[in-house]
Amino acid sequence: MPATPTTPDTFDAARAVKRLVRESQTGALATLDADGAPYASLVQLATLPDGAPLLLLSQLARHTVNLQRDARVSLLVDEHRTGDELQGARAGLKGRIAALTEPEAIATARRRYLARHPDAAGFAGFSDFAFYRLEVESAHLVAGFGRIKDVDGTALATRIDDAAGVLAAEEGAAAHMNADHADAIQLYALHLIGTGPGHWKLVGLDPEGCDLMDGTQVRRLDFGQRVTNAQEMRAALVERANAARASAVQ
């Protein structure tokens, strides 16, 4: 994760939480057992275009049985930093979870989830599995000294109601970038995000930015401004590539 500003009054807690969610591949999901006691389990994560956490759950799993009885859940995501684990940022999300039922929403969820977790393709179509969306009501962020903040869920959503063009173009744009502009994606990772060398690919686009993945590691690249149609999205990707090339020669 890129360094955040060191001045407390410039720290954007909502942005930090949104980045944690976008970059997390796994999280600890807490549900309520029949006796009311909390039960936590490890789950794989992706995100929907509006930033909502996306899970693929089996109806046979204990956490799914729990949430069908009580939809209130908590989800812990963290930065997975090497060294002292407690020095990395983490956020506890609270909200309600529900299975997706609309065919279009399921298709989008399947595509975005399998881009992040291709090994799940073998069971994603099983009848006892379903995609679940977490509606985040609040988040508690711990990101270092002076950076412990509560964030309202409304501040964590990426607006998509005016960005139908971006959503429609996402799949084709990602495929095009990975096939024809892999060099630009590597430049994004190396010079704008600050990763080491790798085999990065683009696994998601939305009005605020894109998600890059190498192996099981996901990193977020913000556009710096919202885009609402395919033309603006293409311009943002070109601008980011030009910025990365300029940074590479400095």
Side-chain angles (χ1 to χ4, degrees):
M1 180 178 296
T4 50
T6 56
T7 304
D9 61 0
T10 65
F11 177 62
D12 189 335
R15 183 180 180 185
V17 174
K18 290 171 74 171
R19 180 177 293 276
L20 278 172
V21 175
R22 292 284 191 187
E23 294 186 343
S24 292
Q25 286 283 79
T26 60
L29 177 68
T31 56
L32 296 172
D33 272 339
D35 63 358
Y39 168 75
S41 55
L42 183 67
V43 294
Q44 291 181 314
L45 303 175
T47 60
L48 291 165
D50 66 354
L54 173 66
L55 293 74
L56 177 63
L57 304 177
S58 168
Q59 294 179 13
L60 305 178
R62 180 170 170 177
H63 48 231
T64 310
V65 173
N66 285 346
L67 65 87
Q68 288 173 346
R69 182 176 50 250
D70 190 328
R72 293 175 298 168
V73 301
S74 179
L75 179 70
L76 176 67
V77 295
D78 75 290
E79 196 177 357
H80 288 293
R81 276 177 59 168
T82 57
D84 187 345
E85 295 87 350
L86 293 183
Q87 293 303 308
R90 58 269 193 195
L93 314 176
K94 290 197 303 182
R96 294 176 180 270
I97 194 168
L100 297 175
T101 58
E102 295 296 328
E104 185 176 352
I106 293 172
T108 297
R110 179 183 177 86
R111 172 174 53 79
R112 289 181 63 91
Y113 189 92
L114 294 184
R116 299 272 295 256
H117 303 286
D119 291 346
F123 53 84
F126 289 0
S127 60
D128 66 309
F129 276 82
F131 290 102
Y132 286 77
R133 170 193 176 92
L134 174 58
E135 293 288 351
V136 180
E137 297 171 356
S138 65
H140 182 69
L141 173 69
V142 179
F145 181 76
R147 294 181 175 178
I148 300 176
K149 304 285 186 179
D150 288 321
V151 182
D152 189 88
T154 58
L156 302 177
T158 295
R159 184 181 173 191
I160 61 171
D161 62 293
D162 62 344
V166 172
L167 305 187
E170 179 197 7
E171 183 176 10
H176 172 68
M177 289 294 296
N178 289 324
D180 298 334
H181 300 288
D183 57 333
I185 296 173
Q186 309 315 309
L187 289 172
Y188 294 158
L190 282 169
H191 301 292
L192 298 183
I193 300 176
T195 71
H199 300 284
W200 295 91
K201 62 180 180 178
L202 199 154
V203 294
L205 287 154
D206 59 76
E208 293 181 346
C210 57
D211 302 322
L212 310 183
M213 181 172 174
D214 176 26
T216 59
Q217 183 182 18
V218 175
R219 300 298 295 272
R220 177 71 173 175
L221 177 67
D222 291 329
F223 289 149
Q225 60 183 11
R226 291 185 74 252
V227 300
T228 59
N229 57 54
Q231 183 177 3
E232 291 176 353
M233 181 173 66
R234 180 183 181 278
L237 290 167
V238 171
E239 186 280 327
R240 293 286 78 196
N242 290 337
R245 292 188 180 98
S247 179
V249 299
Q250 290 179 357

